[in-house]
Amino acid sequence: MFFVFICLVTFKEVFQIQNGTRTRLFKLFEWLILIEVASVILGFVFDVDLLASYTRTVKGVTTVARFGYQGLIPAQNEVSAFFLIAFFYFLWKNIYLKSGTLYLLLTTIAGVLTGTKVGALLAGLLVLYLLKRLRLRIRRTHLILLAVLVGICVVAFVQRDYLLSRFEPTINYFTYWVEQRGAVILFTTGRNVKVDQIVLQVLPHFNWINILFGGYNLSRFATEMDIIDVFLKLGAIGTLLFYSLYIGIILRPKQVKINLNRLLFVIVWLSVSTTAGHVVFSAINGAYLAILLLAFETFSHKEEAATPSIELTPALSPLPSVVS
């Protein structure tokens, strides 16, 4: 839980803007993202079971519970948080540095192919962002992206029967659970059932010390809805302290004005953390989150440095010489 704080402090100290080491850190991070993106896309195109998320092999027979590819990251929850971080990294790079648009599109496509709710969320955010950019100014890059998206839609329509067969396990999976547990399960992927178990079996045994300071052993059973698990682990006081620090490093509240882009990320990040879980508790993605926060700070700083200053009083031009 606290690994993100350690990483942020360490990375700020080790990777400096002045000597160029922070730029090399970002390049390495981009390569990691692209390798994961490639592994997910290749897993989908060639139907590689090793790169899939929900396959299970029993006595040589492979069954698919639902659609989704995790690439080289071995856990589905880790994949969701990773792609959310990767998406906002390239989104911020595109906003502030006007670059990385193609990488943003590839990251979104790979995010969709993970088969998680986050993938649909990324697709929606990308569409909203592109619509906003198109309202401001249509660039050649936007036309290329539009052509690529149209091409993807055409291919999807032509191969609709094949794609439906790939998505059929997922449709059957969620149809079954909706019929059994209701539509809420679509947003929590069954975690609301775990919450019910905690409420019925754990909370009745909590005393006032547990309520204030926690103490529950999450290795026994966890809801995977972060805000509830943080409460079980740290109690009410610990939860308030943790989230004040956690949200604080993302928003940087010491500044008088809160950046709207950071606020959007906080809303999306904590929404996924609450419904999908295992985001706050992810040490691996804690390191990537620290890199993302450094990128936001660096990219916005570069934009401010590149913006020409505006003089309050215009400089006086020399008087023209008089030729007699």
Side-chain angles (χ1 to χ4, degrees):
M1 289 174 63
F2 292 94
F3 193 56
V4 61
F5 301 100
I6 298 172
C7 288
L8 186 59
V9 173
T10 304
F11 290 170
K12 277 191 173 184
E13 182 68 25
V14 175
F15 301 102
Q16 301 288 331
I17 299 177
Q18 293 79 5
N19 57 18
T21 54
R22 188 172 294 185
T23 301
R24 291 198 290 272
L25 174 65
F26 294 156
K27 289 294 183 183
L28 175 62
F29 184 48
E30 290 176 11
W31 273 107
L32 289 174
I33 294 173
L34 293 177
I35 290 172
E36 174 62 14
V37 165
S39 68
V40 170
I41 294 177
L42 290 175
F44 168 74
V45 172
F46 296 102
D47 197 10
V48 181
D49 291 338
L50 182 64
L51 302 176
S53 299
Y54 305 101
T55 58
R56 186 176 63 175
T57 303
V58 179
K59 296 181 180 181
V61 179
T62 301
T63 57
V64 180
R66 49 184 280 205
F67 173 84
Y69 290 85
Q70 61 194 37
L72 299 177
I73 297 179
Q76 297 88 357
N77 288 337
E78 303 283 1
V79 170
S80 298
F82 177 82
F83 274 105
L84 194 57
I85 291 172
F87 175 85
F88 273 93
Y89 173 85
F90 286 122
L91 179 66
W92 287 350
K93 187 172 183 179
N94 192 261
I95 290 173
Y96 292 104
L97 304 185
K98 304 298 185 292
S99 63
T101 307
L102 178 60
Y103 296 152
L104 179 62
L105 177 62
L106 290 174
T107 301
T108 306
I109 292 174
V112 171
L113 295 179
T114 61
T116 62
K117 297 183 294 293
V118 169
L121 176 63
L122 298 184
L125 289 173
L126 179 64
V127 170
L128 292 176
Y129 173 66
L130 291 178
L131 289 175
K132 180 181 178 182
R133 291 296 301 271
L134 288 173
R135 286 177 58 190
L136 299 177
R137 184 180 178 183
I138 299 178
R139 299 176 182 272
R140 185 177 64 178
T141 307
H142 298 147
L143 296 177
I144 295 174
L145 287 178
L146 182 61
V148 171
L149 291 175
V150 171
I152 292 174
C153 292
V154 171
V155 172
F157 178 77
V158 173
Q159 298 293 330
R160 60 188 181 278
D161 293 334
Y162 171 72
L163 291 176
L164 283 175
S165 67
R166 296 286 294 273
F167 283 102
E168 186 177 4
T170 301
I171 297 173
N172 295 335
Y173 175 85
F174 281 108
T175 300
Y176 170 79
W177 282 110
V178 167
E179 292 175 352
Q180 296 294 320
R181 299 285 183 173
V184 177
I185 205 165
L186 290 175
F187 301 97
T188 64
T189 321
R191 291 174 177 87
N192 58 312
V193 179
K194 295 182 177 181
V195 174
D196 292 340
Q197 289 180 261
I198 289 290
V199 171
L200 294 176
Q201 300 175 15
V202 176
L203 290 186
H205 301 285
F206 263 36
N207 53 37
W208 66 270
I209 296 178
N210 296 129
I211 293 174
L212 292 178
F213 302 104
Y216 177 74
N217 183 8
L218 292 174
S219 63
R220 295 178 58 190
F221 185 80
T223 65
E224 294 187 5
M225 300 178 76
D226 283 345
I227 193 168
I228 296 176
D229 288 340
V230 171
F231 168 74
L232 294 174
K233 183 72 176 177
L234 302 179
I237 293 177
T239 299
L240 290 173
L241 288 174
F242 173 78
Y243 274 105
S244 64
L245 293 172
Y246 192 76
I247 297 174
I249 63 171
I250 302 177
L251 285 181
R252 293 181 67 193
K254 291 181 181 180
Q255 295 179 338
V256 177
K257 185 178 180 181
I258 295 178
N259 188 284
L260 292 179
N261 294 324
R262 285 196 180 220
L263 181 60
L264 173 64
F265 175 73
V266 167
I267 294 172
V268 173
W269 184 254
L270 293 184
S271 297
V272 171
S273 171
T274 301
T275 56
H278 203 62
V279 172
V280 166
F281 288 92
S282 172
I284 293 175
N285 284 309
Y288 297 146
L289 176 59
I291 296 176
L292 177 69
L293 298 180
L294 284 185
F296 186 93
E297 178 183 297
T298 306
F299 295 161
S300 58
H301 176 75
K302 286 183 178 180
E303 184 195 45
E304 291 170 0
T307 303
S309 59
I310 301 174
E311 297 181 358
L312 295 179
T313 56
L316 296 176
S317 58
L319 294 173
S321 59
V322 179
V323 180
S324 57

